[in-house]
Amino acid sequence: MERARQIIHPRWVRIAHWLNALSIVIMVTSGWQIYNASPIWHFTFPASITLGGWLAGGTMWHFAAMWVLFANGLIYLALNFVSGRIARKFLPIAPGEVLRELGDALRLKLAHNDLSHYNSLQRCAYLFVWLDVALLICSGLVLWKSVQFPLLRELLGGYDTARVVHFVAMALIVAFVFIHLVMVALVPRSLMPMIRGR
Ligand code: HEM
């Protein structure tokens, strides 16, 4: 009983989190490789931070990690819904509280003493990242199977616009991961519960 009470992140959350982190890193770096083969803008990513070695290699990594991200995300979301964890950990979000906490965070005064509780800023960030991953998957589907998903393609403004949407959603994920890692560095004791549960 005492042991159960100390569990902050159940095992399934931890497995999903680390599988997700790994697949996002693979998808982003192999995505940069694919982008370099046909850049949208006048820049490319340095080869040293891309994965796959060449276009086909990058595509293979991208598609392999895509299935991990998709299946893992689906299981993670389903378990969050079924267990009622969404309502418990991620809702409600009060806009006033978010603004106040944002001010505290910018002044490096945001407390995170109770690791079993996410503050409103975290709730916003995590819900945002779920939606952003969903947008990445939808826009990715359009780029992969453009002919098979005509409605999705038109909703995203056509193939070329879907490419821009996919890129911007990737950039937002990278920004999230950067801020996420800064937050973990500022509250390092939050890391162990995401590894060991306690
Ligand atoms: C090496 C990289 C990463 C580290 C060290 C890390 C670390 C952590 C830690 C310590 C927490 C718990 C925060 C707390 O208790 O206050 C957390 C939660 C979370 N992280 Fe990460 N993370 C990483 C990568 C990622 C990536 C790439 C994503 C998604 C793009 C992500 C999404 C999330 C989400 C959604 C949660 C909330 C999980 C839940 O409770 O269901 N993380 N992470």
Side-chain angles (χ1 to χ4, degrees), residues 8-10 12-14 16-18 20-25 69 76 80 85 89-90 112 114-119 122 125-127 129-130 133 173-174 176-177 180-181 183-184 187-195:
I8 293 174
H9 302 298
W12 64 267
V13 169
R14 285 177 277 138
H17 176 268
W18 293 117
N20 181 47
L22 179 69
S23 48
I24 289 279
V25 170
L69 182 72
Y76 167 79
N80 261 300
R85 192 170 174 270
K89 295 270 292 192
F90 300 97
H112 188 28
D114 178 3
L115 292 178
S116 63
H117 173 84
Y118 289 144
N119 58 47
Q122 281 179 295
Y126 297 151
L127 291 179
V129 91
W130 294 356
V133 168
I173 283 273
V174 172
F176 164 84
V177 174
H180 190 55
L181 292 183
M183 291 303 191
V184 175
V187 190
R189 67 194 183 87
S190 67
L191 183 58
M192 215 24 114
M194 197 37 110
I195 296 171

Side-chain angles (χ1 to χ4, degrees), residues 17-78:
H17 176 268
W18 293 117
L19 264 180
N20 181 47
L22 179 69
S23 48
I24 289 279
V25 170
I26 293 176
M27 294 229 61
V28 168
T29 50
S30 59
W32 290 346
Q33 178 77 249
I34 298 169
Y35 168 91
N36 281 356
S38 171
I40 308 176
W41 296 287
H42 292 291
F43 70 86
T44 54
F45 294 93
S48 55
I49 56 166
T50 64
L51 181 68
W54 62 309
L55 175 60
T59 311
M60 279 161 75
W61 276 108
H62 210 63
F63 284 170
M66 167 186 89
W67 290 114
V68 178
L69 182 72
F70 180 68
N72 180 52
L74 221 55
I75 295 170
Y76 167 79
L77 272 189

Side-chain angles (χ1 to χ4, degrees), residues 115-179:
L115 292 178
S116 63
H117 173 84
Y118 289 144
N119 58 47
S120 295
L121 218 49
Q122 281 179 295
R123 291 175 181 202
C124 266
Y126 297 151
L127 291 179
F128 160 79
V129 91
W130 294 356
L131 292 177
D132 197 34
V133 168
L135 183 61
L136 273 167
I137 292 176
C138 289
S139 51
L141 271 181
V142 169
L143 303 184
W144 180 38
K145 297 276 179 197
S146 177
V147 175
Q148 286 86 343
F149 294 98
L151 180 62
L152 204 53
R153 189 188 62 223
E154 292 317 305
L155 280 175
L156 287 175
Y159 184 89
D160 287 328
T161 313
R163 267 196 90 188
V164 175
V165 170
H166 201 62
F167 189 97
V168 171
M170 173 281 294
L172 290 174
I173 283 273
V174 172
F176 164 84
V177 174
F178 178 75
I179 295 170

